[in-house]
Each structure stands twice: as structure tokens, then as C-alpha cells.
Amino acid sequence: MEALQLRKSLTTFDSFHRTSGHRSLGASLSGRSAAFLVSLLALTASGKAQKTSCPDSIVTNGTFATGLVPGSMPSGSVANWSLLTASPQVVTDTCSGAPGAIQMWGNNVVGESIQQTLSMPIVGGQTYRVSLCYRWLDNSNPVLPKFVKFRVCASSTSPSAYPPTASYDVIGVTPTTSSTAWIYYSFPDWKAPQNATHLTINPENGSVVNDGNFVSWGQVDDICVRHVPCPGGIVANGDMSSGLVPGSMPSGSLANWSLLTASPQVVTDTCSGAPGAIQMWGNNVVGESVQQQLLTPIVKGRKYRITVCYRWLDNNNPVLPKQVQFRLCASGAAPSTYPPTSSYDVIGVTPMTTLTTWTSYTFADWTAPNNASYLTLNPENGLSTNHGDYVSWGQVDDICIREVRFCPGTVVANGELSTGLVPGSMPSGSVANWSLLTASPQVVTDTCSGAAGAIQMWGNNVVGESVQQQLLTPIVKGRKYRITVCYRWLDNNNPVLPKQVQFRLCASGAAPSTYPPTSSYDVIGVTPMTTLTTWTSYTFPVWTAPNDANYLTINPENGLNTNHGDYVSWGQVDDICVQDIARAATATPYGCGCRLNQVASAPILGRSMTLTVSGIPSDSPVGFQFLGDVLATGLPLDKIGMHGCWLYATSIFTLPFAVTGSTTEIEVPLPNDANLMGLVVGMQGLALSPSSNAFGLVASNGVELRLGQ
């Protein structure tokens, strides 16, 4: 029945599409687009798992369906929620599913708001995915503003005032809507700046007038806050929550993990998020350990950021050492012995802890020395005696390994200035891929962001220090590039010197030999002047290369043309990024959905892209993705009964997906085909929903995908 309904819908949709002056849904794409579709279909047929994005929400009763007593709070009530300010109304309206929603009025300084003590605290430094459903409420008062948006905040103590205030961490503010139809919205993944135990929600409209004629009404429903253990990670089930069967391995088990040595214990303890952790004993020569074949292999030469959460376990044995640390290793082949051995690459060892409370630790960014397909974890304590009285117990959770993609599609090698770092004046001081051009620039451990490493130089417009690099990939005449640098003025406590600096970036076809700029260089740009000792990140206007170039040069300036040491400025530069726009993978939302909202991770060739579709109605059994050319302005679909919906992709091919919840994630493997580099396609999610409109379909916004690195 569902397949028949889908087929009928697509047939009608196809007919309307063609009569509107566009090609048929099944029309053949040409060239690279067709090749992409063929490759994509072949990969998708392999059956990548699809999953709901909010099975473990830390919000209780986010649908407002439990304990529903309609009316103004506090006489009106709903389980787990309470009023924060004024008297929000509990109503039986619903975005999807069972009846229940909250109705409120407000602007940016006054209004109604609600709060909840979360079922599990938000942990500072962890990432969370937050979504909700909302709409403007027309109460037939012509004076009031006809639009609304909602603010979601977190706080570590019970809130007491109308948000926002300085004591709240703002998770996000939804886009403004003037529609009385429900809209699902997923905020960008949010990294919590600190711990929090309470959630607050309030309506706003941009007005700061404390007057009843300047407030807006709205309704909110389906609040979802889910811990995202490791966005883009290559470790499967890193939060140890899937397939949890407590007990000693192998009878105790956990999806994607297996014992390597002895019998590690699967437990329901957790660092953050859903229950699940691994408990092990060991020292530096003997013990328990676990292993996993990674989702995506580690690639030699690439940089990775690794985080774990761990703690010492006190098992009330006074003989045992009261400290523990954990070692992480990578290997190309399936491991077989207690790590570490010479056949493993050591990612790192955590600091020693004596705490029974959880500690989250991020290793220094690690550049893989070899390809690797397996990960191993084991506890240690610094002791090398093979005896049960010399081992320590510990627990580990939330294993996250992500490739650090500082600058997708960059033509610059080691733009973070972190690899091969030897502090000092060049040439004795050095950093991989960079060399001095003039004088003796200094390699330092200061950093704008990320791993340690920066270049320190002095100069003005006619004399000074400078660095150069032969680019990873040559700059090509006529191509467009996006260039970003991070820089700051350096105060060396010399009152004579100018207190400002800027940096010039140039490209050249041949190896440079003089202090830039000269007539043989193409000037990419000069940063704004800064007098700040704090780092400033600056992105130049998109630059079209006037000539081919193989080299990049960087030098400090200050606007002065006097060749004298009293007229030079000092500065530091870091994070040099020169992106070939055609090679950088990007996913850009456009347009506005009717009920559905869609976002996508970067479409990197050779990897999986995640499409997240939210706002799926409860009566929707199946959805599908339209894939083809971008239709930026959209095509209105009111004429076929999809009121308020727009078509955002043409030359469409359809990819069905199973609906697993109101928010569903779809893993889409992308072909590793360099011929598809720079290809731009549009994607739009749709879902069957007989109750939503006459046509029985709801649609998302569009997402423009640029395939790349």
C-alpha cells in the first residue's frame, strides 16, 4: 500500500513538474551528474543503516503529551515542565503525534517562558543536537506583530528571570516565522560551553519594548536535546550504548567492540549520554583490553583529534594501586596481544587519574604514521610487574576519533604550522613545508587555534622577514580561491616600534627570492591593520588567480616605507588556508520547507554523508530524497495540493529512505571518484503524510551539495 501510494504521488508529481516547464523526474542527467547518480545508487544499495536522531533525548516529555492538563500554568500543567515567567498555556494542539504543546507570548525583554530540569545534565565540552517544532499563533489581534521565533537556553542553576540573561548559555534562536503551520527546526550542533542542568524556552520577535502591543504569540512542541558523542567520528558506537549486554566479555557484549585480552566487563555506567562503558584492569605489561575495526580506516599522514572519558575504579581492595590511565593504539592488522607492542602505533596515553569521577581528555592532535584499520584500548598504571597485586581498575567511555579537517580543499601544506615543529629562528628553527624567504622568521609554539605552532616575523613595506612554501597543488589561472589567515600584533616591549601590523600574501610561478611584494608576484591580498595582541581570523574576498602559481609567500607590513629597524612591526601568523572553491566540500541549505527541515554534513568524496531530516509527521511511513540540479528560487507546489511547499531540485532522481522517527538520519556513502570533484547537486527531502495536505506529501528545504575534499 505504501509503495503504491508513493508511486502514485511521484507520477502526479512528475506530470506537474513537466507541465511547469521542467524535465521529467526520470530525465537522464548528463556527464558527471549521471556518473554521480550511478555511483551513488550502487553504494546506497549496499544497505547503509538509517537511524533516528533522538532516541536518547535528555529532555523528559518533550512532546508535552504526558500528564496533560489544559489551561494556563500553574493550574494547567504537563509532566516534567513548569512555568518560569508569567502563565504559559498548556494546549491540546500538536505538531505531530499525541496531543500536547505549550502556547506563549513574548518579545526580547518580556514574556512567558517554561523550564525543565533535564533528565541528565549537559556536560561542558560535549556536543548536542537540539530540535523543536514551532509556529506563530494568530490570536486575531491586528495590533500584535505577526511573526515569532523561539529561544532555547541552558543554565547550571534553576533559572529565575525572563531569558536571555548573562547567566544562561544560549543554545540557539530559531528563524522567525509568520506561518501558522508547524515548522520543525534543527539547530546547528551545539558544543556546550559548561555544565548545565536546566533548559528554558521562550518566544521572541526582536522587539525590546516592554508593552503588550509589541509581543508575539507562538506555540512550541517536540523538544529534543540529544547528546552527539562524536560528530563525524570514525569509531563505531564510541559512547558504548548500542547493543548493551552487561557482563564480562564475551557473554557480556557491546555492538562493534570485542575483547582483545582477558575478559573486560560491559557496564551500564556512563560518562555522559546513554548508559554504557567498558571496565578493565591492567598495568603496563598485563591486563584486559578491547578492540574495534574502525568505521573508516585511519590514513597515513592525516591528522586526527582523539577524545576519551575515563576514571579510576575503586573496587575496595586496599592492596591495588589507586590510579589508572588508558592507552590507545592503532594497527593495520587485527591485533592479537596485550598492547603496546612494536606492531602498534601509539595514539597516546591519558594522564594518570586517582579520581572516581569521570574525566574527559583530548589528546594532542595526532598525525597518523601509518594506515590503520583497528583501534585498541587498555588500562595502565606505570607498573611493569606481572602480578595481580600490581594492576589498576578503570572505566572508559565516549571514544571519539575525528579527522581534523582544518581547511577542506586547501592547496597549502601544514597551514596550521603544527607539523614538524622545531621552535627557534629559521633555519635552525623549522616547521614542515615552510622555509624562510628573507631574514630569519621565528617558529613559535603560540597558536591561533588547535595545535601549537605559528610564525613570528618583523617587517614593514620595504624590509623584513618573510616565509614561503611550494604549494601542495598549484594555483590555476582563472580559478577562484578562498583565503583565510589568523594573525596578531606582537608587543615586544619596545616603545619605539609601531604598534600595528598587517600581513601580505602573494603567489608566484617561480621560487621567490626577494622581500615581497615585487612586480613578479601576484598579490592575493593584505589583511586589515591590527593593533591587537589577541588573534584575529580574516577571510579575504574571493580571489580569482590572474596567473598560474606554485609558491606562496607571507610577510608582515605596517604601511611604512623607511628601511630602518625603528620603523618595523612585529606580528604572528597562523592557520593559513587557501581553498580551491571548486575542490572544497560544502553543504548549504536554501529555501524553506513545509514541515520538514533538512541539513547535511560535508559531502566528502570517498566517505559517508549524513542527511538529517526533521519534522517528519507521525503518519509518515516512508520518505525519499530528490537529487538533481539546484532550483534556488523554488517552484511553488500549491496547485497540486501541497500548500506552502516548494520544489528545490530539478532533473530529479529519487532515493527512498525508511522513516525511523520524527527526525531521521540517512547515511549516504559517496563514491571516491576524483572526476566528481566540484560537482554541484541539489537534494530535497520529502515524506508521505496523508494528514498533512491534499496531496499527501510534505517537503523540506533544499541543500546544495558541492562534492569535494
Side-chain angles (χ1 to χ4, degrees):
M1 181 65 71
E2 293 163 3
L4 178 61
Q5 185 180 357
L6 176 60
R7 193 179 305 117
K8 287 180 177 178
S9 297
L10 291 177
T11 301
T12 306
F13 208 95
D14 184 31
S15 176
F16 172 73
H17 188 236
R18 284 184 281 109
T19 58
S20 301
H22 298 278
R23 283 175 284 176
S24 166
L25 301 188
S28 297
L29 302 178
S30 60
R32 295 192 300 162
S33 298
F36 170 60
L37 287 174
V38 170
S39 300
L40 186 61
L41 284 172
L43 286 169
T44 330
S46 63
K48 282 281 185 177
Q50 299 163 341
K51 55 186 182 297
T52 177
S53 71
C54 197
D56 300 308
S57 179
I58 62 175
V59 173
T60 305
N61 193 24
T63 60
F64 301 106
T66 303
L68 182 70
V69 179
S72 296
M73 291 179 162
S75 56
S77 61
V78 64
N80 307 104
W81 293 91
S82 61
L83 70 89
L84 171 56
T85 57
S87 53
Q89 295 88 61
V90 178
V91 294
T92 56
D93 296 351
T94 183
C95 173
S96 63
I102 298 290
Q103 180 172 296
M104 296 181 280
W105 58 263
N107 63 21
N108 286 38
V109 294
V110 66
E112 297 175 316
S113 55
I114 55 173
Q115 64 175 324
Q116 169 175 137
T117 302
L118 297 166
S119 64
M120 185 170 292
I122 287 171
V123 178
Q126 296 290 316
T127 300
Y128 294 83
R129 188 162 295 151
V130 183
S131 63
L132 52 76
C133 193
Y134 69 110
R135 65 177 177 176
W136 171 63
L137 182 67
D138 183 1
N139 65 354
S140 301
N141 185 336
V143 175
L144 299 184
K146 297 183 183 299
F147 48 86
V148 77
K149 56 187 173 181
F150 280 87
R151 180 180 295 262
V152 182
C153 298
S155 61
S156 57
T157 59
S158 180
S160 58
Y162 188 77
T165 72
S167 60
Y168 294 77
D169 292 319
V170 178
I171 293 173
V173 181
T174 68
T176 298
T177 183
S178 57
S179 174
T180 57
W182 287 101
I183 296 172
Y184 259 100
Y185 180 72
S186 291
F187 294 93
D189 283 356
W190 175 69
K191 186 175 183 179
Q194 56 189 331
N195 295 342
T197 53
H198 292 77
L199 187 75
T200 64
I201 304 173
N202 70 283
E204 298 185 354
N205 61 12
S207 173
V208 292
V209 180
N210 190 339
D211 187 292
N213 289 333
F214 292 85
V215 299
S216 295
W217 283 83
Q219 291 182 334
V220 67
D221 195 8
D222 292 353
I223 316 299
C224 175
V225 179
R226 184 178 74 92
H227 176 230
V228 183
C230 185
I234 64 173
V235 176
N237 193 24
D239 66 346
M240 316 277 187
S241 63
S242 296
L244 182 70
V245 179
S248 296
M249 292 180 163
S251 57
S253 62
L254 200 59
N256 306 106
W257 294 92
S258 60
L259 70 88
L260 172 56
T261 56
S263 52
Q265 295 87 60
V266 177
V267 294
T268 57
D269 297 350
T270 183
C271 171
S272 62
I278 297 287
Q279 180 172 297
M280 297 182 279
W281 58 262
N283 63 20
N284 288 36
V285 294
V286 66
E288 298 176 315
S289 55
V290 292
Q291 64 176 326
Q292 154 167 157
Q293 186 169 2
L294 296 166
L295 278 173
T296 304
I298 288 170
V299 179
K300 179 180 179 180
R302 289 185 179 174
K303 186 179 294 184
Y304 296 85
R305 187 161 296 151
I306 299 98
T307 302
V308 299
C309 197
Y310 67 109
R311 65 178 178 177
W312 171 62
L313 183 66
D314 183 0
N315 67 353
N316 297 314
N317 185 334
V319 174
L320 300 184
K322 298 182 182 299
Q323 77 273 348
V324 77
Q325 60 191 164
F326 280 86
R327 180 179 296 262
L328 277 72
C329 297
S331 61
S336 58
T337 60
Y338 188 76
T341 72
S342 57
S343 62
Y344 295 78
D345 292 320
V346 179
I347 293 172
V349 181
T350 68
M352 198 76 75
T353 184
T354 60
L355 301 176
T356 57
T357 54
W358 290 98
T359 298
S360 184
Y361 178 72
T362 300
F363 293 92
D365 286 353
W366 177 69
T367 301
N370 298 291
N371 294 336
S373 299
Y374 292 86
L375 176 72
T376 63
L377 288 85
N378 70 285
E380 298 185 354
N381 59 13
L383 303 176
S384 300
T385 303
N386 190 340
H387 190 283
D389 289 344
Y390 293 86
V391 300
S392 295
W393 283 84
Q395 291 181 335
V396 65
D397 192 10
D398 292 352
I399 316 299
C400 178
I401 300 180
R402 284 179 286 198
E403 184 180 346
V404 181
R405 296 186 57 77
F406 155 67
C407 180
T410 187
V411 301
V412 174
N414 193 23
E416 288 184 289
L417 303 169
S418 61
T419 303
L421 184 71
V422 179
S425 296
M426 291 179 162
S428 57
S430 61
V431 63
N433 306 105
W434 295 89
S435 61
L436 69 90
L437 173 56
T438 57
S440 52
Q442 296 88 61
V443 177
V444 294
T445 57
D446 296 349
T447 183
C448 171
S449 62
I455 298 286
Q456 180 172 298
M457 296 181 279
W458 57 263
N460 63 20
N461 287 35
V462 294
V463 66
E465 298 175 315
S466 55
V467 292
Q468 64 177 324
Q469 166 174 141
Q470 186 169 359
L471 297 166
L472 272 175
T473 305
I475 286 171
V476 178
K477 179 180 179 179
R479 284 194 182 173
K480 295 182 183 298
Y481 294 85
R482 184 175 292 116
I483 299 99
T484 302
V485 298
C486 197
Y487 67 109
R488 65 177 178 177
W489 171 62
L490 183 67
D491 183 1
N492 67 354
N493 298 314
N494 186 334
V496 174
L497 298 184
K499 298 182 182 298
Q500 77 274 348
V501 78
Q502 59 190 165
F503 281 86
R504 179 179 296 263
L505 277 70
C506 298
S508 61
S513 58
T514 61
Y515 188 76
T518 73
S519 57
S520 61
Y521 295 77
D522 291 319
V523 178
I524 292 172
V526 181
T527 68
M529 198 75 74
T530 185
T531 60
L532 300 176
T533 56
T534 54
W535 290 99
T536 298
S537 184
Y538 177 71
T539 300
F540 293 91
V542 172
W543 177 68
T544 302
N547 298 291
D548 293 342
N550 295 300
Y551 291 87
L552 178 72
T553 64
I554 305 174
N555 70 284
E557 298 185 354
N558 60 13
L560 303 177
N561 296 309
T562 304
N563 190 341
H564 190 283
D566 289 344
Y567 293 85
V568 300
S569 295
W570 283 83
Q572 291 180 334
V573 66
D574 193 9
D575 292 354
I576 297 97
C577 174
V578 180
Q579 290 174 304
D580 183 340
I581 292 177
R583 298 178 67 86
T586 59
T588 308
Y590 62 96
C592 186
C594 56
R595 294 205 59 162
L596 301 187
N597 182 71
Q598 178 158 294
V599 294
S601 62
I604 301 168
L605 292 170
R607 304 188 190 178
S608 286
M609 171 185 67
T610 302
L611 291 169
T612 303
V613 187
S614 57
I616 301 173
S618 58
D619 65 342
S620 179
V622 68
F624 49 94
Q625 292 287 332
F626 279 177
L627 172 65
D629 298 331
V630 171
L631 182 58
T633 56
L635 173 67
L637 300 174
D638 300 75
K639 289 183 179 179
I640 62 170
M642 293 178 65
H643 180 69
C645 300
W646 294 71
L647 178 67
Y648 288 113
T650 62
S651 298
I652 299 166
F653 199 94
T654 58
L655 297 171
F657 65 88
V659 171
T660 55
S662 63
T663 303
T664 295
E665 288 185 353
I666 308 139
E667 297 290 337
V668 182
L670 300 178
N672 191 11
D673 185 349
N675 293 320
L676 302 177
M677 187 77 67
L679 174 66
V680 175
V681 296
M683 291 196 82
Q684 181 178 15
L686 296 97
L688 288 176
S689 177
S691 67
S692 293
N693 54 44
F695 191 69
L697 279 178
V698 287
S700 76
N701 55 288
V703 179
E704 180 187 286
L705 304 175
R706 182 183 293 274
L707 279 61
Q709 297 177 332

